[in-house]
Amino acid sequence: MRALLVVNPRATTTTERSRDVLVRALESAVDLTVRYTQRRGHATTLARAAAESGIDVLVTLGGDGTVNEAVNGLMTAPAELPGEPAYRLPALAVVPGGSTNVFARALGLPRDWADATSVILDGLRDGRHRVINLGRADDRYFTFTAGLGLDAAVVRRVEQARLRGRTSTPGLYLRAAVGQFFTGVDRSDPPMALERPDEATAAGLGTVIVQNTAPWTYLGDRPVDPNPDASFDLGLDVFALRRLKVSATAKTVTQLAWRSGDQHGKQVLRLHDLAEFTVVSSRPQAFQLDGDYLGERQKVHFVSVPSALRVVC
């Protein structure tokens, strides 16, 4: 069995020594090649080339951003073989190496990279895998979440703080969320609308969160889960807020943090198991996929891609 290990050398929870241990462990089970990412987007290039070369398994060591890039590389490889992508493409194995690792944890993998590696090795030896759906936003795939508006603007703030040397922590995200809400949001004029085929348009939305699985994210060990019924086996779920009034938004955020899935009220829109929809905005909005900020958009078309990818579990 041929495998490629794509390593993000800036992964926050691993060291050079731990990476060496991981390489030796994987070499005991597969014919392994190791490549290190050198820049943003490099994992996409490496994964696409690996798929074209016919490897059996792609292993990533990094955070959710590394996983997202690798998945986009796999999914955009030339479709020369017949059948569903999940069976003509290499399987994906994810070793958690980031600060949050939402995708790996949603698959049921342990947070610790060493424990997760043990699970992956057992899966490789037993031929154990799971086929999952993906989301697609325009031409970009995502594994667990996408967001427009406040959610993505918070991601942007966190990325800017990390460029200044700050460490990604739950506290950093909370401070970014409070700062963005009170200084960077026009709460009186929500600009977005959600359009679905043969359904009434839901207008006046201030932020839109899309889930391909549950939970949406984590605050440390605590899952934050506005749509707990979201699943890798179903379509996409949506959680959106209308006018971002201080009192109502504070109540909703409290419900999110302490009672996931219990949000209600006039300002909340929740939709389950959608095959496709479009979010449009009267002015540019911050946009993120799988926790990576991708700039601003005024229109994004979302599609659920069924049976898209095999993952070792």
Side-chain angles (χ1 to χ4, degrees), residues 4-133:
L4 172 69
L5 171 63
V6 174
V7 178
N8 179 354
R10 293 178 295 279
T12 57
T13 59
T14 61
T15 63
E16 185 175 354
R17 181 178 180 181
S18 62
R19 291 193 290 267
D20 290 341
V21 172
L22 170 63
V23 168
R24 289 196 295 271
L26 290 172
E27 286 177 335
S28 69
V30 295
D31 178 10
L32 186 69
T33 300
V34 182
R35 296 291 303 273
Y36 288 80
T37 60
Q38 300 173 358
R39 59 191 177 278
R40 189 165 186 170
H42 194 197
T44 298
T45 303
L46 294 174
R48 185 182 299 118
E52 292 171 354
S53 72
I55 69 160
D56 302 295
V57 180
L58 176 70
V59 186
T60 62
L61 173 61
D64 290 311
T66 303
V67 174
N68 179 276
E69 289 187 9
V71 166
N72 275 275
L74 293 178
M75 296 301 297
T76 55
E80 296 181 356
L81 298 177
E84 294 293 330
Y87 291 96
R88 62 175 174 80
L89 294 172
L92 176 70
V94 177
V95 180
S99 58
T100 310
N101 305 300
V102 178
F103 180 63
R105 293 161 78 177
L107 290 172
L109 289 169
R111 277 185 82 178
D112 180 75
W113 70 268
D115 293 337
T117 299
S118 179
V119 173
I120 289 169
L121 288 172
D122 288 343
L124 289 172
R125 293 177 179 126
D126 297 341
R128 189 171 62 240
H129 67 266
R130 175 183 178 183
V131 177
I132 65 169
N133 298 353

Side-chain angles (χ1 to χ4, degrees), residues 136-183:
R136 191 176 70 233
D138 291 336
D139 59 353
R140 179 79 178 253
Y141 293 86
F142 60 97
T143 62
F144 66 93
T145 191
L148 284 153
L150 177 61
D151 162 49
V154 171
V155 171
R156 178 176 59 198
R157 282 199 173 214
V158 170
E159 288 195 2
Q160 291 170 345
R162 292 182 66 182
L163 289 174
R164 297 192 299 267
R166 301 290 298 277
T167 301
S168 180
T169 64
L172 178 61
Y173 275 92
L174 285 173
R175 289 190 294 272
V178 171
Q180 182 65 31
F181 181 73
F182 284 105
T183 65

Side-chain angles (χ1 to χ4, degrees), residues 41 57 61 63 68 85-86 111 133 150 157 165 168 203 205 208 210 213 225 242 253 262-264 269:
V57 180
L61 173 61
N68 179 276
R111 277 185 82 178
N133 298 353
L150 177 61
R157 282 199 173 214
S168 180
L205 305 178
V208 177
V210 182
T213 189
D225 204 356
R242 295 185 171 92
V253 170
D262 191 31
Q263 302 80 34
H264 53 82
L269 172 69

